[in-house]
Structures are given as C-alpha cells and as structure tokens.
Amino acid sequence: MENRIWSRRAAPEWKQGYPVGNGMLGAMVLGDVNNDRLALNHEWLWRARHRRRDIPDLSAHLPRLRALFFAGDLVEACRQTNDLLHWPPEGEFDGRKRIDPYQPAGELTLRLWRARTTDYRRELDLAQAVVTLSCRRDGAPFTREVFAHAALPVLVVRDRFDAPHGLRGTAGLSRRGDPECRLAPWADTHAFGFVGEFLEGSRFALEVRARATGGALTTTPGFAALEFRGCRECLYLLSIAVAHDGEDPRALCAAQLDAAPLDFNALLAGHREAHSRLYGRVHLDLQRPSDPRPTEERLAAARGGEADPALAELHFNFGRYLLISSSRPGGLPANLQGIWNDDLRPPWDCDLHHDINLQMNYWPAEVCGLDECVEPLLAHVERSMPHGREAARKLYGCRGVILPIQTDPWGRCTCESPGWAVWTGAAAWLAQHFWWRYEYALDREFLRRRAYPLFKEVAAFYADYLVRDPQGRLVPVPSQSPENRFVGGGSPVSLCVGATMDYELIHDVLTWALRSSEVLDVDADLRDTWRGILAELPPLKIGRHGQLQEWLEDYEEVEPGHRHISHLYALFPGDRITLEETPDLAAAARRALERRLAHSGGQTGWSRAWTVCCWARLGEGDLAWEHFLALLREQTNDALLDLHPPYPPGIFQIDGNFGGAAAVAEMLLQSHGGVIRLLPAKPAAWTQGRVGGLRARGGFVVDLEWTADGLARTRVLSRFGRVCRLRAPGARVPVVLCGGRKVPTEPSAGRDWRFDTRPEEVYDIEWRAQ
C-alpha cells in the first residue's frame, strides 16, 4: 500500500509542510533540521468578537421583493434583496464580515547548532501518523519524530542524535506579531509556555514539557524557551488549551499534560494503536511496483504526462488520514484548511462554508468507515439549529430552520457576505449527512433523536417558504444556484425564481422526512403535506443545449465554465439522477458537465474533485481518471495538499483532498438506490488491484479483488442481515458461499443479483463468466 509521502528537502513554505493532528491539536512540520518550525493549531482557537452576533427581523421585506422577481425585474430584485435581507444593509456594509477567523496558536521552534547535513529525508507515514526527519549531521545519525497523539491531547516530538557530544541548541514557543493578542511567556524547570489573551477576552495557553537523556536542560524565567547541551535524546510534550468563558487555560493545559506519560515508547505505542483503529479499516492496493522516487518527483512526472495509478492510492489514503487528523468526536468539523492554519487573517477566515466545501470534507467518511469522524459535522449542525430557527423567522417569516452559506463555530446563522449570502439550501444539504448516517448504520434511535427532527424542521421551512408564481408554479424565491450568475440577472450572484439546486434539495429533504416518518411510524398527518409538495414541484428541465438546466428558466451563464456545478447535486452527491432510473436526465447532466469543462471548468481543487465524482456516477471510469490526474497535476502541491486559485502559487484548501478520496471510492464502489455496484467506474489504467473495508448502504462491508480479466472475488460482511443486491461489471454470474455452504442467488432487474443474508455473516463471492 501507498502510505508514505516523503521528500529529500525541507518544506520551503508552510503549505508544503507535513500535517499531523488528532482532531483537537494540529501541527504543520516544515522539517528544517537546523531551524525547524512546527506551526501549531487548536481546533477551538477562533477569535470571538462576534460570538453572539444577531440580525433584526427583516421578514417584512419579503413580499415586496418577491413581487419584483415575479415582475421580471431581476437586477433590481437582486439588488434590493441583497440590501434588505442582509444585516447590516449592503449600503452600510464596511467590508468587514462578522465571521470570526480561525487563528494560529503559535509555533514551536527547534534550533540546533550548525552542522554539515547529508542524507536528508522528510517523511509522513500515513499508517503510523508520524512525521520523521532523518539525516546525518557531521556524519552522525540524527532523527526527529513528530506526532499528535491519537488518544491524548498532546503533541509529541523526539530528537535523537548518536554522537558523543550530543545535541546542542534551543527549543522555544512564539507567536507571530499580533497587536490584538497579548502574550505572557513563562518558564520553569524543564517546562515553558505562554498564555495569550485577545482583545475580546478569549484566552489560550501553550505549554511544553521536556525530558533529556544525557546532557542538561536549562530555562530562563520569563522566556518561553529552554537550552539543551550534550543530550543524546530530547523528548518534548506540548499541549494547548483554549478558554472562551473565563476558564484558566494554563491550568487546563497542565491537566492535559499531566495525563500523558513522559515516556516516548509508551506514547508511540498508544498512538499507533488508536490511529490504526481508524486508518486500518480500509485497504487499497492497486498492485503497482513500489516507486523509489520522492513524492514531489512523482508529482513532477505526473505533471509532465506520466500516469501513475499509485498516486491515486496515495491521495486516497492521504484524504482518509487528513479526516482522521482533523475531525474527531467531541470537537469541531474540519474547516476550509482542516485544523491547520498559519495566518491571522486566513483565506475566507478558514470558515465553515456550507455551499459545497464543508459537505465535501465529509464525502469519504461513510464509505471509508469513518463514522466517528462525521460526528463533529452533525454536532455543528445541531449547535446551529437554535439560531437557525430564529434566522428562518427573522429573514423569511417561516417556521423551521435555515443555516447560512458560511459561518464559524459559534452556531450563528447570520448573512455575512452581501451579494452571496441569500441562500436557503444549506440546512437541506447538510441534512444529507444525517440521512447517509442512517443509510449506512440503520440506527433507528439516531434517526428518531437526531436525523428526523432536522428533516422535519427543514421541511417545515420549505412548506412555508415555497409560494406560487404568476404561472401557478410552486417556487422558492429568492433562490440561488451557488455562487453562479446568468445573463440578465443580478451580480455578483444572480438571485431568481427557482434555481434547480433548490428544487433538488427540497425534493431530497422532503423524501428523507417521508421515509423517516414511515420507518419510525410517526407523523402520518404530515406525510400528505410532504407528498403534496413533492407532487407540485416543477420537474427537472432539459435546456436548449441538451443540458440539465441550472435554473427554472433556461438562462445563459455569464461564466459557462463556472467552478460550481450545483445543479448536478442530484447526480452527485445526491442520487435522484441515475443512469438506470432517469437516463434522459443523466444524459442532460452529462451534457451540462461537458459544457462546464469545455469552458475551462473544474479550475479549483474541490471543483475538479466534484467533477471526478460526477464522471464516476455516470460510469465513465476513464474520464474520471483523466480528471483525477488533472487534480494531481494542476491543483495539488508537492506535499499532496489541495490548492485553490489564484495560481500561482495557490492557496491551501483541504476540501479537494477529501473530494479526491471520495472520488476514488466512488470509482470502486457505489451503493445508492439499494444496489451495491462493484467497480462501477474503474479506469482501464487500474488493471488489477484489491480494496478492503469499504462500506455500503444497508450495513454491508465490502472487499473487492480484480484482475485484467475483470472482477474476480468479492467478500461481503452483512452487519444487519439485509437482502444483498449486487451489480458487477460485464456478464458475470456470482457463486456465493457462506461458511462453506452455497447461498442461493437470483437475478434481479437485469444485471443485478440478490441473495439473503444473516447478521454478522461473511459471504465470499466468486464471479464467473456466463
């Protein structure tokens, strides 16, 4: 398996570093042996100036605004909507959003005496979740190991030097200059740190505890640093604590360190065991020869035209690693950069973007068996619901709940980007992850307590929000296809009557509410309401170019190659459009995708990853592979991190890493609509391989093996004893065995095969040509 990203040089800049994290703590390791910098983060270290921001009741404006839309004055309707449904009004907006930015905690700097360095290697082992720097200093071997402990709230660093005179240098904590943050450094015997306080009163603390083997450690009171001399080994434990509500962050930090032993071997063993419980659930092997080149050389070769299937394997594993490292139970969801950030004012504040980015971060979670990692996303939605109810009432005069297009961790649902922020689809889109959680786990209690209440509230919002236009159609207005605009519409985003994505989201959330109500046998009276709305929603439409229309009217796009493909939501990540059930709409979705790409679409990492997923849903493995290679070549840096324009040099944005991982899984396994599709979009370049541990809806765990002759073997674990329905590529017939006994199978709907299963039984399937 491809589990190592490595280089023969230190990272020239922060975004070329190697990330470690445990959901709470994160560090970017740059790897300069003489003057190394570990950029540090804590998931809760956000500014809190606007933690309780709110909006007044603006809903009285809605009837007049709708009248403008219905009269066809779209530019004026858009202008007034952006002004009147935004607070403060657009005319008074000073350009400063009230989204609080995610903050760097500081940096740990490790300086060694100057020496001649040879045989340098910097490596991130994804399976171990350890960054290792190794080299020779003046001919003697030196090693530095760094990891964020997967089960304890500490970062661990160990330096070893096999030379008689030992290590000599300094270790220190600092933070970049920030006039809005006051630091109070301190040092004690074998420990040092600082406490930071922002103007608004939020505080945080960093502490390092050190232990040396041989030699001596010395500190100076009032300085967050220590000096070491003659040490064969130095061990550092670091922790960070954040206090927004008056707690003592230094005491919290000390308590976290007290729980961790100053024993490297014990720490490493516990970390490996905890990390492997998550990372080891899925194994992908495309059976390519081991490549001895550093990762950046392999990427350079790919940019030069070389097609390296093993890079897909590495990218897939890296995506899983990043999700495990940045999203763990009890914490926050992965933001635009996961948990890693080096800037006081990061791009888009490292916020939580709800119109593709946050959702894409979790696309690989269910299929890769990382259900624990989904929990922070679900908790974020639930934390936002109280203010989301207020927002639905104050902005639109509706029951139910809405969520904003972008936010921070404080659960506030305010409009913060005039011209972009009037959009009602975020809650419905995020609800998809609650439905997925139920589809994969079949947990009725989760459905009852957490998922169905959300579906019900979003459905209540749309039941109030939908109105009839002059033609008698049931429409959402104002409506937006995120973040696109059309000829004759307003700007920077065109608001309108009925964007296609809104209809797709409304259809899905009402369908989930209906199904949940039936499963739970509750609210039978509401089902007729929801069925009535579904029956009256306008159908998805095919435009004059043969494309799936992006809006209810067949408008021309101002930017035909726009990065968002929101109207293709129903193809992926939704499943309303399929090749089998809706072939005409699938062909229209394909045409829409082709038109986007013909005009240079897919120009961001996340947009390219979404494109790969769509091609996989359309069964086009080679086109999916073509665009996956474009993701590697054009939107991935030498550390394999995803990039967002402007290019050059590109901004690190993590969603493309997660979208790329989901795309690889989507090429190998799909399970929507009650059918487990095996190798539905395998590229021809992936001639042979095997994958184990992928999850399918209905509580199945699937292993696959294929050769140049096609699908060879499948193993299915049935967790809940549901009927298993499989679809294999080509004309193949399954022979199913369970515990040595042959299991009866029967054909179903053409190429599908179905068989009964029992809970926790394993079924081995051999595929034979007909």
Side-chain angles (χ1 to χ4, degrees):
M1 287 179 61
E2 288 274 352
N3 284 314
R4 286 182 170 84
I5 301 171
W6 73 281
S7 176
R8 291 195 180 101
R9 58 187 177 90
E13 56 182 337
W14 174 84
K15 69 184 177 190
Q16 300 282 2
Y18 290 160
V20 297
N22 60 11
M24 185 179 83
L25 301 180
M28 193 72 85
V29 184
L30 275 69
D32 181 340
V33 174
N34 292 320
N35 188 14
D36 203 359
R37 181 169 80 94
L38 279 66
L40 305 170
N41 294 102
H42 187 289
E43 63 172 343
W44 274 104
L45 190 57
W46 297 67
R47 295 298 300 268
R49 288 171 292 191
H50 305 110
R51 187 178 175 190
R52 293 177 176 84
R53 64 186 182 272
D54 208 345
I55 50 175
D57 193 328
L58 305 173
S59 61
H61 299 300
L62 190 59
R64 180 163 60 86
L65 296 172
R66 283 175 164 165
L68 287 172
F69 282 104
F70 290 149
D73 194 353
L74 298 182
V75 173
E76 181 62 15
C78 186
R79 186 193 69 77
Q80 290 197 30
T81 300
N82 287 330
D83 185 49
L84 297 175
L85 293 186
H86 185 275
W87 190 261
E90 188 172 13
E92 302 173 20
F93 183 67
D94 62 3
R96 290 178 295 184
K97 293 181 297 183
R98 295 182 298 171
I99 301 292
D100 283 321
Y102 185 50
Q103 293 291 286
E107 53 192 50
L108 174 64
T109 303
L110 301 170
R111 294 187 174 93
L112 301 179
W113 83 103
R114 290 285 171 182
R116 184 174 61 89
T117 300
T118 57
D119 300 335
Y120 178 89
R121 180 183 176 106
R122 176 171 59 106
E123 176 183 289
L124 168 57
D125 186 324
L126 304 175
Q128 305 292 329
V130 176
V131 170
T132 302
L133 314 177
S134 60
C135 65
R136 289 186 173 273
R137 295 174 53 80
D138 290 338
F142 169 83
T143 303
R144 172 171 295 148
E145 296 153 286
V146 183
F147 59 90
H149 199 287
L152 295 171
V154 295
L155 183 77
V156 181
V157 182
R158 181 177 71 167
D159 286 354
R160 289 186 298 169
F161 187 49
D162 189 11
H165 53 274
L167 291 163
R168 185 172 76 252
T170 61
L173 285 171
S174 62
R175 189 174 187 269
R176 62 177 53 208
D178 181 356
E180 297 185 354
C181 183
R182 182 182 65 207
L183 299 184
W186 61 270
D188 202 344
T189 306
H190 296 180
F192 58 92
F194 66 73
V195 176
E197 182 172 0
F198 292 114
L199 292 179
E200 62 270 22
S202 293
R203 303 170 70 211
F204 62 101
L206 284 73
E207 180 179 345
V208 172
R209 295 182 185 177
R211 191 191 72 182
T213 301
L217 303 176
T218 58
T219 58
T220 302
F223 293 88
L226 63 74
E227 183 178 359
F228 48 88
R229 289 179 175 273
C231 304
R232 297 189 304 276
E233 179 178 306
C234 289
L235 174 64
Y236 307 97
L237 263 62
L238 178 147
S239 197
I240 307 172
V242 177
H244 290 295
D245 295 307
E247 309 95 328
D248 180 355
R250 184 171 173 184
L252 294 172
C253 208
Q256 291 171 174
L257 287 165
D258 288 344
L262 265 172
D263 181 328
F264 180 81
N265 290 331
L267 288 164
L268 182 61
H271 164 70
R272 284 174 170 168
E273 195 274 334
H275 176 71
S276 67
R277 281 201 299 268
L278 296 174
Y279 186 82
R281 289 176 183 171
V282 172
H283 303 271
L284 173 62
D285 182 4
L286 295 179
Q287 299 184 352
R288 310 295 292 189
S290 178
D291 195 317
R293 296 173 294 179
T295 306
E296 68 260 23
E297 291 183 15
R298 294 173 65 186
L299 286 165
R303 294 177 190 123
E306 180 180 308
D308 182 355
L311 279 176
E313 184 182 325
L314 184 61
H315 193 281
F316 172 73
N317 287 333
F318 189 39
R320 295 190 301 117
Y321 166 86
L322 290 171
L323 188 56
I324 292 166
S325 301
S326 62
S327 184
R328 302 293 287 275
L332 292 175
N335 63 49
L336 285 175
Q337 293 182 179
I339 53 170
W340 300 278
N341 169 46
D342 199 35
D343 296 320
L344 300 177
R345 295 296 310 202
W348 298 283
D349 299 307
C350 269
D351 70 10
L352 303 170
H353 247 65
H354 291 159
D355 63 341
I356 176 61
N357 315 91
L358 185 60
Q359 291 90 335
M360 183 178 284
N361 287 358
Y362 291 87
W363 283 358
E366 299 290 355
V367 69
C368 291
L370 297 176
D371 44 286
E372 298 96 329
C373 297
V374 182
E375 180 57 34
L377 175 67
L378 308 183
H380 161 70
V381 173
E382 292 167 331
R383 187 166 49 247
S384 302
M385 285 178 67
H387 199 247
R389 296 184 189 103
E390 288 189 42
R393 176 177 55 82
K394 289 179 176 180
L395 288 172
Y396 304 110
C398 295
R399 299 170 301 152
V401 65
I402 61 167
L403 299 181
I405 200 168
Q406 60 186 137
T407 192
D408 48 33
W410 310 127
R412 309 307 282 179
C413 298
T414 56
C415 298
E416 298 301 332
S417 293
W420 310 83
V422 178
W423 181 56
T424 65
W429 197 348
L430 287 162
Q432 182 181 57
H433 291 270
F434 286 74
W435 181 246
W436 283 357
R437 183 87 287 274
Y438 173 70
E439 282 191 301
Y440 281 87
L442 298 180
D443 184 341
R444 287 172 59 96
E445 187 64 13
F446 170 83
L447 187 68
R448 183 187 67 80
R449 289 190 305 106
R450 302 181 68 183
Y452 180 57
L454 173 62
F455 303 155
K456 190 175 174 180
E457 290 210 56
V458 180
F461 170 79
Y462 284 118
D464 287 356
Y465 188 68
L466 288 164
V467 295
R468 295 200 182 277
D469 69 1
Q471 301 175 51
R473 300 175 298 186
L474 203 57
V475 296
V477 57
S479 184
Q480 177 192 152
S481 185
E483 303 168 9
N484 205 358
R485 59 196 177 111
F486 51 80
V487 175
S491 65
V493 171
S494 294
L495 300 177
C496 68
V497 176
T500 296
M501 187 190 202
D502 274 352
Y503 286 118
E504 294 170 337
L505 290 168
I506 294 166
H507 171 276
D508 277 6
V509 78
L510 291 176
T511 300
W512 303 329
L514 268 169
R515 292 180 183 173
S516 301
S517 170
E518 291 166 349
V519 169
L520 298 171
D521 193 21
V522 295
D523 295 327
D525 55 321
L526 290 176
R527 293 177 210 158
D528 287 341
T529 299
W530 296 332
R531 290 190 185 103
I533 295 172
L534 286 169
E536 291 201 67
L537 289 177
L540 302 181
K541 300 176 72 174
I542 298 174
R544 59 187 176 277
H545 303 293
Q547 88 288 5
L548 183 70
Q549 287 183 196
E550 190 161 356
W551 299 275
L552 186 57
E553 305 302 328
D554 193 9
Y555 298 122
E556 285 287 351
E557 305 100 321
V558 171
E559 184 186 349
H562 196 269
R563 62 195 177 278
H564 282 263
I565 49 175
S566 303
H567 51 317
L568 300 189
Y569 161 88
L571 176 68
F572 188 93
D575 55 22
R576 181 180 174 189
I577 296 176
T578 68
L579 290 167
E580 303 85 7
E581 302 297 328
T582 58
D584 291 344
L585 288 175
R590 179 189 182 110
R591 182 64 183 136
L593 185 59
E594 290 171 342
R595 280 176 51 79
R596 274 290 202 275
L597 297 173
H599 292 87
S600 302
Q603 67 266 52
T604 70
W606 60 260
S607 182
R608 184 72 68 179
W610 197 353
T611 297
V612 181
C613 291
C614 286
W615 281 129
R617 272 293 165 91
L618 290 168
E620 295 286 359
D622 288 341
L623 285 171
W625 177 231
E626 175 187 325
H627 286 275
F628 190 92
L629 288 173
L631 175 67
L632 290 173
R633 291 165 177 163
E634 301 170 16
Q635 288 126 357
T636 303
N637 73 7
D638 286 346
L640 220 61
L641 291 170
D642 177 66
L643 296 176
H644 187 285
Y647 305 125
I651 298 165
F652 165 47
Q653 191 168 299
I654 202 167
D655 36 30
N657 285 104
F658 296 131
V664 170
E666 195 71 15
M667 288 185 257
L668 297 171
L669 185 80
Q670 298 173 17
S671 62
H672 52 282
V675 179
I676 301 174
R677 299 159 181 83
L678 309 175
L679 304 181
K682 182 189 73 65
W686 300 1
T687 53
Q688 58 185 13
R690 55 178 176 260
V691 63
L694 293 180
R695 269 53 170 181
R697 292 166 174 85
F700 298 101
V701 183
V702 181
D703 302 347
L704 299 170
E705 185 174 347
W706 70 94
T707 68
D709 294 328
L711 183 63
R713 282 171 289 279
T714 305
R715 171 169 286 185
V716 175
L717 166 64
S718 176
R719 295 174 57 202
F720 306 121
R722 305 266 289 213
V723 172
C724 183
R725 184 176 166 192
L726 301 178
R727 180 177 301 160
R732 300 254 167 172
V733 176
V735 177
V736 181
L737 298 177
C738 179
R741 64 178 176 82
K742 190 172 181 179
V743 177
T745 61
E746 60 182 43
S748 170
R751 293 191 294 125
D752 301 348
W753 294 86
R754 54 175 288 160
F755 56 92
D756 294 330
T757 71
R758 293 187 295 196
E760 300 301 331
E761 294 276 13
V762 174
Y763 297 83
D764 290 298
I765 304 157
E766 184 177 338
W767 296 90
R768 298 177 181 174
Q770 282 185 329

mmCIF file of all heavy atoms in Angstrom, residues 386-411:
data_model
loop_
_atom_site.group_PDB
_atom_site.id
_atom_site.type_symbol
_atom_site.label_atom_id
_atom_site.label_comp_id
_atom_site.label_asym_id
_atom_site.label_seq_id
_atom_site.Cartn_x
_atom_site.Cartn_y
_atom_site.Cartn_z
ATOM 1 N N PRO A 386 -30.685 26.224 17.026
ATOM 2 C CA PRO A 386 -31.466 27.236 17.746
ATOM 3 C C PRO A 386 -31.453 28.601 17.063
ATOM 4 O O PRO A 386 -32.508 29.218 16.887
ATOM 5 C CB PRO A 386 -30.794 27.282 19.125
ATOM 6 C CG PRO A 386 -30.229 25.903 19.299
ATOM 7 C CD PRO A 386 -29.751 25.518 17.929
ATOM 8 N N HIS A 387 -30.284 29.063 16.657
ATOM 9 C CA HIS A 387 -30.247 30.353 15.976
ATOM 10 C C HIS A 387 -30.761 30.217 14.544
ATOM 11 O O HIS A 387 -31.290 31.184 13.973
ATOM 12 C CB HIS A 387 -28.835 30.931 15.974
ATOM 13 C CG HIS A 387 -28.811 32.409 15.716
ATOM 14 N ND1 HIS A 387 -28.276 32.957 14.573
ATOM 15 C CD2 HIS A 387 -29.296 33.443 16.442
ATOM 16 C CE1 HIS A 387 -28.418 34.266 14.612
ATOM 17 N NE2 HIS A 387 -29.026 34.595 15.732
ATOM 18 N N GLY A 388 -30.652 29.021 13.963
ATOM 19 C CA GLY A 388 -31.212 28.799 12.639
ATOM 20 C C GLY A 388 -32.722 28.935 12.615
ATOM 21 O O GLY A 388 -33.304 29.359 11.603
ATOM 22 N N ARG A 389 -33.374 28.594 13.721
ATOM 23 C CA ARG A 389 -34.825 28.806 13.810
ATOM 24 C C ARG A 389 -35.141 30.302 13.838
ATOM 25 O O ARG A 389 -36.093 30.768 13.199
ATOM 26 C CB ARG A 389 -35.373 28.130 15.060
ATOM 27 C CG ARG A 389 -35.240 26.616 15.057
ATOM 28 C CD ARG A 389 -35.888 25.990 16.291
ATOM 29 N NE ARG A 389 -35.570 24.573 16.362
ATOM 30 C CZ ARG A 389 -34.667 24.040 17.174
ATOM 31 N NH1 ARG A 389 -33.999 24.814 18.019
ATOM 32 N NH2 ARG A 389 -34.409 22.749 17.165
ATOM 33 N N GLU A 390 -34.329 31.052 14.597
ATOM 34 C CA GLU A 390 -34.520 32.498 14.622
ATOM 35 C C GLU A 390 -34.298 33.094 13.239
ATOM 36 O O GLU A 390 -35.042 33.983 12.801
ATOM 37 C CB GLU A 390 -33.556 33.141 15.616
ATOM 38 C CG GLU A 390 -33.862 32.895 17.073
ATOM 39 C CD GLU A 390 -32.988 33.751 17.962
ATOM 40 O OE1 GLU A 390 -32.789 34.937 17.648
ATOM 41 O OE2 GLU A 390 -32.481 33.218 18.969
ATOM 42 N N ALA A 391 -33.272 32.623 12.542
ATOM 43 C CA ALA A 391 -32.976 33.159 11.217
ATOM 44 C C ALA A 391 -34.107 32.884 10.240
ATOM 45 O O ALA A 391 -34.453 33.743 9.420
ATOM 46 C CB ALA A 391 -31.660 32.567 10.701
ATOM 47 N N ALA A 392 -34.691 31.696 10.293
ATOM 48 C CA ALA A 392 -35.816 31.379 9.404
ATOM 49 C C ALA A 392 -36.969 32.340 9.643
ATOM 50 O O ALA A 392 -37.623 32.810 8.694
ATOM 51 C CB ALA A 392 -36.266 29.937 9.629
ATOM 52 N N ARG A 393 -37.213 32.656 10.899
ATOM 53 C CA ARG A 393 -38.320 33.563 11.233
ATOM 54 C C ARG A 393 -37.976 35.012 10.887
ATOM 55 O O ARG A 393 -38.776 35.730 10.282
ATOM 56 C CB ARG A 393 -38.649 33.428 12.727
ATOM 57 C CG ARG A 393 -39.725 34.387 13.215
ATOM 58 C CD ARG A 393 -40.040 34.150 14.695
ATOM 59 N NE ARG A 393 -38.852 34.226 15.534
ATOM 60 C CZ ARG A 393 -38.321 35.371 15.989
ATOM 61 N NH1 ARG A 393 -38.879 36.540 15.654
ATOM 62 N NH2 ARG A 393 -37.263 35.352 16.784
ATOM 63 N N LYS A 394 -36.757 35.456 11.239
ATOM 64 C CA LYS A 394 -36.404 36.867 11.073
ATOM 65 C C LYS A 394 -36.125 37.245 9.626
ATOM 66 O O LYS A 394 -36.351 38.385 9.220
ATOM 67 C CB LYS A 394 -35.185 37.202 11.931
ATOM 68 C CG LYS A 394 -35.460 37.217 13.432
ATOM 69 C CD LYS A 394 -34.186 37.538 14.195
ATOM 70 C CE LYS A 394 -34.438 37.657 15.696
ATOM 71 N NZ LYS A 394 -33.200 37.973 16.427
ATOM 72 N N LEU A 395 -35.605 36.323 8.842
ATOM 73 C CA LEU A 395 -35.294 36.635 7.440
ATOM 74 C C LEU A 395 -36.484 36.389 6.524
ATOM 75 O O LEU A 395 -36.723 37.163 5.588
ATOM 76 C CB LEU A 395 -34.096 35.809 6.964
ATOM 77 C CG LEU A 395 -32.726 36.209 7.521
ATOM 78 C CD1 LEU A 395 -31.677 35.192 7.112
ATOM 79 C CD2 LEU A 395 -32.331 37.598 7.043
ATOM 80 N N TYR A 396 -37.234 35.318 6.782
ATOM 81 C CA TYR A 396 -38.244 34.899 5.813
ATOM 82 C C TYR A 396 -39.639 34.718 6.411
ATOM 83 O O TYR A 396 -40.574 34.365 5.681
ATOM 84 C CB TYR A 396 -37.804 33.606 5.137
ATOM 85 C CG TYR A 396 -36.456 33.714 4.471
ATOM 86 C CD1 TYR A 396 -35.338 33.039 4.977
ATOM 87 C CD2 TYR A 396 -36.289 34.522 3.347
ATOM 88 C CE1 TYR A 396 -34.103 33.162 4.366
ATOM 89 C CE2 TYR A 396 -35.050 34.644 2.737
ATOM 90 C CZ TYR A 396 -33.956 33.967 3.251
ATOM 91 O OH TYR A 396 -32.730 34.091 2.648
ATOM 92 N N GLY A 397 -39.794 34.924 7.713
ATOM 93 C CA GLY A 397 -41.103 34.751 8.321
ATOM 94 C C GLY A 397 -41.601 33.325 8.286
ATOM 95 O O GLY A 397 -42.818 33.091 8.239
ATOM 96 N N CYS A 398 -40.700 32.358 8.340
ATOM 97 C CA CYS A 398 -41.061 30.942 8.189
ATOM 98 C C CYS A 398 -40.806 30.163 9.467
ATOM 99 O O CYS A 398 -39.955 30.520 10.286
ATOM 100 C CB CYS A 398 -40.248 30.317 7.051
ATOM 101 S SG CYS A 398 -40.600 30.991 5.427
ATOM 102 N N ARG A 399 -41.517 29.072 9.600
ATOM 103 C CA ARG A 399 -41.192 28.082 10.621
ATOM 104 C C ARG A 399 -39.922 27.344 10.213
ATOM 105 O O ARG A 399 -39.354 27.575 9.155
ATOM 106 C CB ARG A 399 -42.331 27.076 10.768
ATOM 107 C CG ARG A 399 -43.681 27.646 11.203
ATOM 108 C CD ARG A 399 -44.735 26.559 11.048
ATOM 109 N NE ARG A 399 -44.822 26.100 9.675
ATOM 110 C CZ ARG A 399 -45.198 24.884 9.282
ATOM 111 N NH1 ARG A 399 -45.506 23.969 10.183
ATOM 112 N NH2 ARG A 399 -45.272 24.568 8.004
ATOM 113 N N GLY A 400 -39.521 26.417 11.074
ATOM 114 C CA GLY A 400 -38.411 25.545 10.704
ATOM 115 C C GLY A 400 -37.061 26.190 10.907
ATOM 116 O O GLY A 400 -36.890 27.081 11.758
ATOM 117 N N VAL A 401 -36.098 25.740 10.125
ATOM 118 C CA VAL A 401 -34.711 26.129 10.342
ATOM 119 C C VAL A 401 -34.019 26.354 9.013
ATOM 120 O O VAL A 401 -34.312 25.675 8.023
ATOM 121 C CB VAL A 401 -33.974 25.031 11.163
ATOM 122 C CG1 VAL A 401 -33.877 23.728 10.391
ATOM 123 C CG2 VAL A 401 -32.591 25.488 11.598
ATOM 124 N N ILE A 402 -33.125 27.350 8.984
ATOM 125 C CA ILE A 402 -32.183 27.514 7.880
ATOM 126 C C ILE A 402 -30.796 27.685 8.475
ATOM 127 O O ILE A 402 -30.643 28.058 9.645
ATOM 128 C CB ILE A 402 -32.514 28.736 6.990
ATOM 129 C CG1 ILE A 402 -32.448 30.024 7.797
ATOM 130 C CG2 ILE A 402 -33.842 28.564 6.282
ATOM 131 C CD1 ILE A 402 -32.458 31.275 6.943
ATOM 132 N N LEU A 403 -29.789 27.408 7.680
ATOM 133 C CA LEU A 403 -28.404 27.643 8.057
ATOM 134 C C LEU A 403 -27.777 28.564 7.019
ATOM 135 O O LEU A 403 -28.200 28.588 5.862
ATOM 136 C CB LEU A 403 -27.632 26.323 8.151
ATOM 137 C CG LEU A 403 -28.146 25.313 9.188
ATOM 138 C CD1 LEU A 403 -27.280 24.068 9.194
ATOM 139 C CD2 LEU A 403 -28.210 25.924 10.575
ATOM 140 N N PRO A 404 -26.753 29.320 7.399
ATOM 141 C CA PRO A 404 -26.176 30.308 6.484
ATOM 142 C C PRO A 404 -25.224 29.683 5.485
ATOM 143 O O PRO A 404 -24.808 28.528 5.631
ATOM 144 C CB PRO A 404 -25.436 31.259 7.422
ATOM 145 C CG PRO A 404 -24.998 30.361 8.546
ATOM 146 C CD PRO A 404 -26.100 29.343 8.722
ATOM 147 N N ILE A 405 -24.831 30.466 4.504
ATOM 148 C CA ILE A 405 -23.906 29.980 3.486
ATOM 149 C C ILE A 405 -22.497 29.816 4.056
ATOM 150 O O ILE A 405 -21.715 29.015 3.570
ATOM 151 C CB ILE A 405 -23.913 30.922 2.261
ATOM 152 C CG1 ILE A 405 -23.353 30.207 1.020
ATOM 153 C CG2 ILE A 405 -23.168 32.213 2.548
ATOM 154 C CD1 ILE A 405 -23.604 30.963 -0.286
ATOM 155 N N GLN A 406 -22.192 30.568 5.113
ATOM 156 C CA GLN A 406 -20.883 30.454 5.760
ATOM 157 C C GLN A 406 -21.024 30.863 7.212
ATOM 158 O O GLN A 406 -21.876 31.677 7.568
ATOM 159 C CB GLN A 406 -19.846 31.341 5.063
ATOM 160 C CG GLN A 406 -20.199 32.808 5.081
ATOM 161 C CD GLN A 406 -19.269 33.681 4.279
ATOM 162 O OE1 GLN A 406 -19.709 34.562 3.573
ATOM 163 N NE2 GLN A 406 -17.978 33.455 4.380
ATOM 164 N N THR A 407 -20.183 30.294 8.073
ATOM 165 C CA THR A 407 -20.248 30.617 9.486
ATOM 166 C C THR A 407 -18.948 30.222 10.159
ATOM 167 O O THR A 407 -17.969 29.834 9.502
ATOM 168 C CB THR A 407 -21.475 29.943 10.140
ATOM 169 O OG1 THR A 407 -21.678 30.501 11.436
ATOM 170 C CG2 THR A 407 -21.304 28.432 10.243
ATOM 171 N N ASP A 408 -18.937 30.326 11.480
ATOM 172 C CA ASP A 408 -17.809 29.939 12.321
ATOM 173 C C ASP A 408 -18.335 28.979 13.381
ATOM 174 O O ASP A 408 -19.466 28.494 13.254
ATOM 175 C CB ASP A 408 -17.151 31.204 12.909
ATOM 176 C CG ASP A 408 -18.172 32.164 13.497
ATOM 177 O OD1 ASP A 408 -19.191 31.680 14.023
ATOM 178 O OD2 ASP A 408 -17.979 33.393 13.429
ATOM 179 N N PRO A 409 -17.604 28.671 14.434
ATOM 180 C CA PRO A 409 -18.098 27.617 15.338
ATOM 181 C C PRO A 409 -19.165 28.041 16.320
ATOM 182 O O PRO A 409 -19.620 27.209 17.124
ATOM 183 C CB PRO A 409 -16.823 27.183 16.083
ATOM 184 C CG PRO A 409 -15.863 28.269 15.962
ATOM 185 C CD PRO A 409 -16.224 29.069 14.774
ATOM 186 N N TRP A 410 -19.604 29.321 16.275
ATOM 187 C CA TRP A 410 -20.474 29.810 17.341
ATOM 188 C C TRP A 410 -21.957 29.499 17.108
ATOM 189 O O TRP A 410 -22.792 29.905 17.911
ATOM 190 C CB TRP A 410 -20.272 31.319 17.510
ATOM 191 C CG TRP A 410 -18.838 31.713 17.627
ATOM 192 C CD1 TRP A 410 -18.179 32.641 16.882
ATOM 193 C CD2 TRP A 410 -17.860 31.171 18.526
ATOM 194 N NE1 TRP A 410 -16.865 32.725 17.247
ATOM 195 C CE2 TRP A 410 -16.630 31.824 18.255
ATOM 196 C CE3 TRP A 410 -17.891 30.193 19.513
ATOM 197 C CZ2 TRP A 410 -15.454 31.532 18.942
ATOM 198 C CZ3 TRP A 410 -16.717 29.894 20.195
ATOM 199 C CH2 TRP A 410 -15.523 30.561 19.918
ATOM 200 N N GLY A 411 -22.288 28.833 16.030
ATOM 201 C CA GLY A 411 -23.676 28.441 15.814
ATOM 202 C C GLY A 411 -24.589 29.590 15.450
ATOM 203 O O GLY A 411 -25.803 29.504 15.661
#
